[in-house]
Amino acid sequence: MPATASKHPVLEILAALTGEELQLAPHVAFRLHHSLQGDWAAILETAGTLSTEQRSGQALLPDPMPLSPATQAAVRDRIAELSERERAMLLRAAVCVFRRTQPLLVSCNASMSEAAASRAAVHLRFVAGGFEFEDPRIRAAVHAGATLGERNAAHADLALAFAAAGEIDMAHWHRTLSTVEGDQDLASGLLRVARRALSRGQAAWAHSVTKEAVCHAPAELVDEARLLAAETALHAGCLAEADRWASSVQSTAHPDLHRRAQHCAEQIATLLAGRLPAALLRPDGSAGELPEPADDGLGAEYRRVAEAFRLAEQDEFEAALRTLSDPVEPNAAPGIPARPGSPTPLRLATRRVARSLVYYWSGKLCSAEAELQEAALRLPVESVLGGISGPLAQRLGIDIYGEPGPMAAALKTRKSQPADSTGSLLDRATLAYLAGQRAEAETLLAVAAERGNTAVQSIYLPQPDGGDRWGLLGNSARQRESSRLRARIGSSQQAGLAELATAAVVLGQAPTSPFERGRTEFELGRAFARYRNRDAARHYLLAAASSFEEAGAGFWRQTAESELSGAAEGLPQPVLTALPPQCPEWTGPLTERESEVALLVADGSANREVALALHLSVRTVEVHLSRVFAKLGVRSRVELSILAHRSDAGLGRSVG
């Protein structure tokens, strides 16, 4: 795992779409970026043709992607150069699921030398017995430009080629797609193909096969096909699609199917509601009241994660990471063989988010960010483990850079989920604490506590002291003791600081997270600075900066270094607040314009009144206000007003 996350170009797409109607889940943006070769115009056009569920990753994306005007213009000349025979070869390559070179050549009745000498070879990359399109836009254009009859003929040729090669599953799939009308004899074979693909982790392709099986299934196989469609959609992370299919089989009379359907519906409901799996909340690691079907790997995955969390709580971080490691991942090309038991996208997303959490708990923040970013760009991470990926991305952004990035905004796809608002309040409390605004931090922690139990409160994410009590999963005894120690330091008299500093040294020994150690050293540095003990303050702030550097907590390091400069002059200084002098402290994370809007709204002004006062359009005010709500973690104008007046009353100030 790299030491720090690279700035992937997809992050630019996510940043540009933040606050816009065409918001994309990170893995959807990644697919669009890859399929459209980073063409911004084509990405916007194609995203506009997708449904809301597809853009959010809740439904399967079309394959190939729709041909947008920008894409068509980009490849038109290259397509025009092709002969009819070359187009036929590229069409067979475009519809071929198992991208092996030999069946492709057989289906085209061409030799390798003939294929290599053609202009079609310019658009194909042949490697190790397989092939890929050099530019996925060519695949989309060739597919869109073919007639239904031409596609059917291509599938028929590929069916014969795969049958000759002994690839029965691929032959059956292409034979099915070459038929014009439904054929009940095809359904059982398609279900066999789908089950085998799912067992190898290829859930998205398994779902496509199962949907085709539903179209051909006789009455006695319809419920089985629909249920398998729900299970494959679930494992692909397409929860809205899975929910619809599961709903269609709830009334089945078959006992085994009914049991499987209930189990599947329970898994879907847990993910959609942002709840933690029951297996993570029970000491015995059981997966819930319903028995786990033998072919469903989610229960086993949750037990794996529960074991890793247990190890992390004992400060055995390397063992926890080994528990979550698996070198085999599902292939991007669905027809490429993978070993049975390979994790599906949903299982792998669960595992990768859990790995990011363990990295965070161990004090390796940059590794945690890199793990989460890589997972989010390729897997449906938004809903796993109670939807913790969004709050985790936000917290990492604050700890490393001082603000949440576009990845965090994109991962917060379910705006009504309580974890979103609770997490935002806790993030705000962290920023207030770092700025030296203790009263503000305590107020925000109190408001967050009123929001009820969420995944943010069940999975440990470091908070200002007073919030650390919430994390049940991953919160070790050493971490809890460190939190209690920091609370004692914050309220200690000068005479007691030396004893507390000694206790901090003991707690700070390995395997303590350098981030946890740095937070304790930082609190000690602030405490000594408060009592004008310049030498001790410098010692502990310097140690904190070093610990934060080791952890990769860049913003905390910057804060410690800034307060270190203040300690050099013997003056404790609140630092790193971007507030203009005339703005109250609670507006800290807001831009100047957002602060102006927030202050007026908190005083009771309507949007139109704000627009007139600031010479803005009402729509612009609405956009600013939505960002104010998101940054401050409030859900209404009333909550904004309560937060403003409560915070400023605690500081002895009035709004404005």
Side-chain angles (χ1 to χ4, degrees):
M1 181 55 56
T4 186
S6 61
K7 298 304 178 185
H8 197 283
V10 171
L11 296 180
E12 298 179 8
I13 297 174
L14 298 177
L17 294 178
T18 298
E20 301 296 330
E21 293 183 0
L22 289 180
Q23 286 191 334
L24 302 173
H27 66 289
V28 174
F30 180 86
R31 278 280 305 277
L32 289 175
H33 181 270
H34 171 73
S35 299
L36 303 173
Q37 298 293 282
D39 184 331
W40 179 243
I43 289 170
L44 285 180
E45 289 176 354
T46 304
T49 68
L50 302 177
S51 69
T52 301
E53 289 180 351
Q54 288 174 324
R55 290 196 295 269
S56 65
Q58 298 289 299
L60 212 60
L61 292 175
D63 182 44
M65 289 292 180
L67 190 65
S68 69
T71 301
Q72 191 170 14
V75 302
R76 182 185 297 115
D77 292 343
R78 285 181 280 171
I79 296 294
E81 295 173 348
L82 300 170
S83 67
E84 184 175 340
R85 178 175 171 80
E86 290 164 341
R87 287 194 191 197
M89 177 179 288
L90 289 178
L91 177 59
R92 280 150 182 76
V95 301
C96 185
V97 173
F98 195 165
R99 293 171 190 160
R100 283 181 50 202
T101 301
Q102 190 57 34
L104 173 64
L105 295 176
V106 171
S107 72
C108 298
N109 194 25
S111 66
M112 187 68 232
S113 59
E114 289 173 331
S118 71
R119 280 172 293 193
V122 174
H123 304 295
L124 296 175
R125 180 172 62 254
F126 295 98
V127 179
F131 69 87
E132 288 286 350
F133 276 84
E134 292 282 1
D135 185 341
R137 295 175 297 179
I138 296 293
R139 177 173 178 248
V142 169
H143 188 273
T147 66
L148 179 61
E150 288 171 335
R151 293 177 197 164
N152 289 342
H155 283 295
D157 290 341
L158 285 166
L160 293 173
F162 278 112
E167 299 289 344
I168 305 304
D169 285 355
M170 293 301 106
H172 192 79
W173 169 247
H174 286 292
R175 183 164 58 251
T176 300
L177 294 188
S178 71
T179 61
V180 178
E181 298 179 353
D183 184 347
Q184 294 185 354
D185 294 336
L186 296 171
S188 60
L190 288 171
L191 293 177
R192 181 194 70 240
V193 173
R195 291 190 199 98
R196 189 170 299 167
L198 183 60
S199 74
R200 295 175 181 270
Q202 298 159 340
W205 184 55
H207 184 59
S208 297
V209 175
T210 308
K211 287 198 297 184
E212 190 69 25
V214 172
C215 298
H216 294 274
E220 63 270 19
L221 285 180
V222 167
D223 282 350
E224 167 67 21
R226 288 175 175 170
L227 177 54
L228 190 55
E231 292 170 339
T232 53
L234 166 64
H235 278 272
C238 300
L239 300 182
E241 205 162 345
D243 191 41
R244 284 193 294 273
W245 285 108
S247 298
S248 71
V249 290
Q250 288 300 306
S251 60
T252 182
H254 193 288
D256 288 342
L257 291 183
H258 182 69
R259 177 180 60 84
R260 279 175 54 197
Q262 281 188 297
H263 181 83
C264 183
E266 183 182 82
Q267 302 277 24
I268 295 167
T270 295
L271 290 162
L272 285 174
R275 298 194 302 267
L276 281 172
L280 297 182
L281 300 178
R282 299 183 181 180
D284 61 359
S286 60
E289 296 180 1
L290 297 172
E292 178 192 337
D295 60 350
D296 183 351
L298 281 179
E301 197 66 49
Y302 293 149
R303 285 190 287 274
R304 178 197 292 254
V305 170
E307 173 62 13
F309 285 2
R310 183 189 67 79
L311 289 168
E313 289 164 9
Q314 297 172 358
D315 297 320
E316 298 181 21
F317 301 118
E318 292 302 323
L321 291 170
R322 286 195 299 272
T323 300
L324 295 168
S325 66
D326 192 328
V328 179
E329 298 185 7
N331 296 291
I336 297 177
R339 67 175 175 85
S342 295
T344 62
L346 186 65
R347 288 183 59 189
L348 194 56
T350 301
R351 194 176 306 178
R352 298 291 294 275
V353 172
R355 280 179 61 85
S356 180
L357 284 165
V358 173
Y359 274 126
Y360 193 11
W361 297 332
S362 70
K364 298 178 180 178
L365 274 62
C366 291
S367 292
E369 183 198 25
E371 183 80 36
L372 184 61
Q373 176 177 299
E374 184 178 334
L377 292 177
R378 290 169 173 79
L379 297 164
V381 303
E382 291 83 359
S383 299
V384 302
L385 298 181
I388 195 65
S389 61
L392 175 58
Q394 286 213 156
R395 188 60 42 75
L396 286 168
I398 288 172
D399 290 340
I400 297 172
Y401 307 111
E403 61 181 5
M407 180 68 75
L411 287 173
K412 293 173 63 176
T413 55
R414 297 191 308 282
K415 300 300 183 184
S416 61
Q417 184 179 336
D420 286 341
S421 57
T422 303
S424 295
L425 286 168
L426 297 177
D427 294 337
R428 177 75 179 94
T430 298
L431 288 170
Y433 169 79
L434 285 170
Q437 302 161 3
R438 282 187 175 274
E440 176 80 1
E442 290 171 1
T443 297
L444 289 162
L445 288 171
V447 174
E450 296 170 1
R451 292 289 171 85
N453 187 42
T454 70
V456 174
Q457 295 168 324
S458 299
I459 296 179
Y460 176 64
L461 295 179
Q463 310 287 352
D465 297 297
D468 284 346
R469 66 183 184 276
W470 283 330
L472 302 178
L473 298 175
N475 195 357
S476 70
R478 187 188 292 261
Q479 288 167 332
R480 292 193 297 273
E481 182 60 30
S482 295
S483 180
R484 287 192 290 267
L485 178 60
R486 288 191 292 269
R488 291 170 61 195
I489 292 169
S491 60
S492 174
Q493 299 298 315
Q494 184 174 7
L497 286 179
E499 180 182 350
L500 295 176
T502 301
V505 171
V506 175
L507 275 177
Q509 295 174 350
T512 294
S513 147
F515 185 47
E516 288 289 331
R517 182 177 67 243
R519 292 174 65 201
T520 304
E521 292 164 340
F522 180 68
E523 189 66 38
L524 278 167
R526 276 189 165 174
F528 279 114
R530 188 167 63 247
Y531 291 111
R532 307 289 177 170
N533 188 332
R534 184 182 309 179
D535 291 340
R538 282 180 52 80
H539 171 80
Y540 286 106
L541 289 173
L542 188 61
S546 177
S547 295
F548 292 145
E549 177 72 21
E550 180 184 350
F555 191 63
W556 286 76
R557 176 187 56 76
Q558 182 184 352
T559 305
E561 290 175 346
S562 296
E563 297 205 7
L564 184 61
S565 299
E569 302 174 3
L571 298 173
Q573 298 178 350
V575 294
L576 295 180
T577 174
L579 293 174
Q582 71 274 18
C583 289
E585 294 173 350
W586 59 266
T587 62
L590 307 181
T591 65
E592 184 174 352
R593 180 62 81 184
E594 289 166 353
S595 297
E596 293 172 341
V597 171
L599 288 167
L600 290 171
V601 170
D603 273 344
S605 299
N607 287 358
R608 184 171 297 279
E609 294 170 330
V610 175
L612 290 172
L614 300 179
H615 306 288
L616 301 172
S617 69
V618 174
R619 173 58 182 158
T620 299
V621 171
E622 292 171 349
V623 170
H624 283 309
L625 190 57
S626 68
R627 291 173 178 167
V628 167
F629 284 0
K631 290 182 178 182
L632 297 183
V634 298
R635 295 173 291 189
S636 67
R637 305 166 80 91
V638 173
E639 285 194 10
L640 176 61
S641 182
I642 291 172
L643 174 62
H645 289 284
R646 181 185 296 176
S647 300
D648 290 304
L651 296 173
R653 295 166 55 179
S654 60
V655 176

